[in-house]
Amino acid sequence: GMLSEVALLVKYHHERFDGTGYPEGLKGEGIPLGARILSIVDAFDAMHSDRPYRRAYPFEHSVREIRDNLGSQFDPRVGRVFLESLSAH
């Protein structure tokens, strides 16, 4: 049921908008929308959080990385909405 839909989002959130991701090399709109959203949120969280192996990157660095990878790693439309939501706070 519902968990199988969530499992697909988790499965595909490492796909890249340009088709060079994994596990299946899906591209663009072929990647489920929820997975495209999760991809950006997960990447931002990974950069902006402390990890055992490194300190969190500054907010501005994390935003720049997302912006610089729109169209290649991330869906540009989803990314712009995400970035706009960050600037609204």
Side-chain angles (χ1 to χ4, degrees):
M2 185 176 167
L3 287 181
S4 64
E5 292 176 28
V6 172
L8 286 177
L9 304 184
V10 173
K11 177 180 180 179
Y12 293 126
H13 85 283
H14 283 290
E15 297 288 358
R16 291 175 53 106
F17 197 73
D18 64 7
T20 62
Y22 65 91
E24 296 182 19
L26 301 179
K27 182 177 184 174
E29 302 287 322
I31 304 167
L33 176 60
R36 287 181 271 148
I37 295 168
L38 181 58
S39 173
I40 292 174
V41 172
D42 181 56
F44 184 84
D45 179 65
M47 288 183 280
H48 197 57
S49 300
D50 287 334
R51 299 296 177 155
Y53 50 88
R54 65 154 175 81
R55 302 285 302 158
Y57 293 123
F59 179 82
E60 296 78 16
H61 173 88
S62 303
V63 168
R64 186 174 50 252
E65 284 294 317
I66 298 294
R67 189 179 336 105
D68 290 350
N69 286 286
L70 296 179
S72 57
Q73 184 173 357
F74 305 115
D75 179 325
R77 288 185 305 145
V78 172
R80 282 190 290 275
V81 170
F82 178 77
L83 294 173
E84 287 171 13
S85 74
L86 292 178
S87 66
H89 294 281

